[in-house]
Amino acid sequence: EEFEYDHDEL
Amino acid sequence: MNVFRLTGDIAHLLAIILLLMKIWKTRSCAGVSGKSQMMFALVFTTRYLDLITNFISLYNTTMKMIFIASSYGTLYLMFLKFRATYDSNHDTFRMEFLVVPVAGLSFLVNHDFSPLEILWTFSIYLESVAILPQLFMISKTGEAETITSHYLFALGSYRALYILNWVYRFYFEGFFDLIAVVAGCVQTVLYCDFFYLYITKVWKGKKLTLPA
């Protein structure tokens, strides 16, 4: 499974 | 975006503004740990590299740019403009005791073994402990200026509000980031002793002093 970058916080 | 995250971000922004105001108005950075501030600059730099790779929202981009710029602005005031007022004799916490283990841990425990993700993880871990030199400095001098204690209260509240945000996001969005949550809890726990002193002293109009 490919990692998806999803850091939407500060 | 929920109310906890927004108020958390506002508290974070307020903390940074309070610190810059304290230094600017008093023309002095006495009582402020340059080591904590250096680590915060490192935290923002390593976390917000995604400004180049990912666009999330105008709000997100703006806040990130403000945080990066203000952290370097603080370093400029501390180490160049008002260098003579920097209390280095009391700022003796060894940064390498935090940076080295945190760097090691970010290589070992992360969501993905890629440069950007490891740097993000490093920033999350480092942020959780970056306040220690500041707290150590207060424990050495036994006191903090009132404005500095307001700064610390706002800075500590920010991550505590983020914990509420994570609880909210877990229930309503199914979002859960174990690394951020654990580090955020550690970060908040480190402030507990300070919160207690702040509420029992500063809220009653007294200066923050440590019990002998």
Side-chain angles (χ1 to χ4, degrees):
Chain A
E1 198 184 336
E2 201 165 310
F3 173 77
E4 205 179 316
Y5 186 90
D6 70 339
H7 304 302
D8 62 343
E9 294 178 343
L10 290 167
Chain B
M1 178 64 75
N2 58 62
V3 68
F4 304 114
R5 196 161 145 201
L6 185 63
T7 46
D9 288 347
I10 292 169
H12 199 179
L13 194 60
L14 181 71
I16 291 167
I17 292 169
L18 277 171
L19 181 66
L20 284 170
M21 265 179 50
K22 174 239 158 3
I23 299 174
W24 193 254
K25 294 252 176 191
T26 62
R27 320 295 287 174
S28 162
C29 57
V32 180
S33 164
K35 291 181 175 175
S36 282
Q37 295 308 317
M38 275 194 268
M39 287 196 278
F40 284 129
L42 188 59
V43 162
F44 291 139
T45 310
T46 50
R47 188 175 310 166
Y48 299 157
L49 287 172
D50 65 354
L51 273 172
I52 306 159
T53 57
N54 290 53
F55 178 79
I56 292 155
S57 64
L58 187 62
Y59 169 82
N60 190 281
T61 301
T62 311
M63 291 293 263
K64 283 174 174 171
M65 284 165 64
I66 293 173
F67 287 157
I68 292 178
S70 58
S71 68
Y72 284 97
T74 306
L75 291 184
Y76 164 74
L77 293 181
M78 288 197 75
F79 292 104
L80 293 167
K81 195 165 175 66
F82 301 123
R83 191 185 178 89
T85 64
Y86 172 48
D87 204 359
S88 60
N89 291 339
H90 287 123
D91 196 11
T92 51
F93 196 97
R94 299 275 293 272
M95 263 197 301
E96 60 271 33
F97 289 169
L98 298 178
V99 176
V100 173
V102 156
L105 191 63
S106 57
F107 272 92
L108 292 172
V109 184
N110 52 55
H111 294 307
D112 186 52
F113 201 79
S114 61
L116 200 63
E117 189 59 23
I118 290 171
L119 286 168
W120 178 86
T121 312
F122 170 79
S123 84
I124 292 288
Y125 292 154
L126 186 63
E127 184 190 343
S128 70
V129 293
I131 203 61
L132 286 175
Q134 180 65 61
L135 297 174
F136 184 67
M137 197 170 176
I138 292 174
S139 73
K140 271 194 103 174
T141 58
E143 58 176 31
E145 281 175 49
T146 300
I147 182 115
T148 308
S149 61
H150 292 327
Y151 157 71
L152 275 169
F153 182 72
L155 192 64
S157 310
Y158 134 72
R159 224 43 177 171
L161 287 160
Y162 256 68
I163 294 176
L164 299 177
N165 153 61
W166 291 321
V167 172
Y168 177 93
R169 291 191 74 183
F170 177 74
Y171 282 107
F172 295 100
E173 298 170 22
F175 170 91
F176 181 68
D177 186 330
L178 186 64
I179 288 178
V181 171
V182 172
C185 290
V186 169
Q187 187 168 338
T188 305
V189 165
L190 294 182
Y191 283 87
C192 284
D193 184 46
F194 166 80
F195 284 154
Y196 173 77
L197 287 171
Y198 182 80
I199 291 165
T200 54
K201 296 219 167 182
V202 183
W203 280 5
K204 290 178 182 160
K206 285 182 275 182
K207 188 177 169 163
L208 190 110
T209 49
L210 296 187

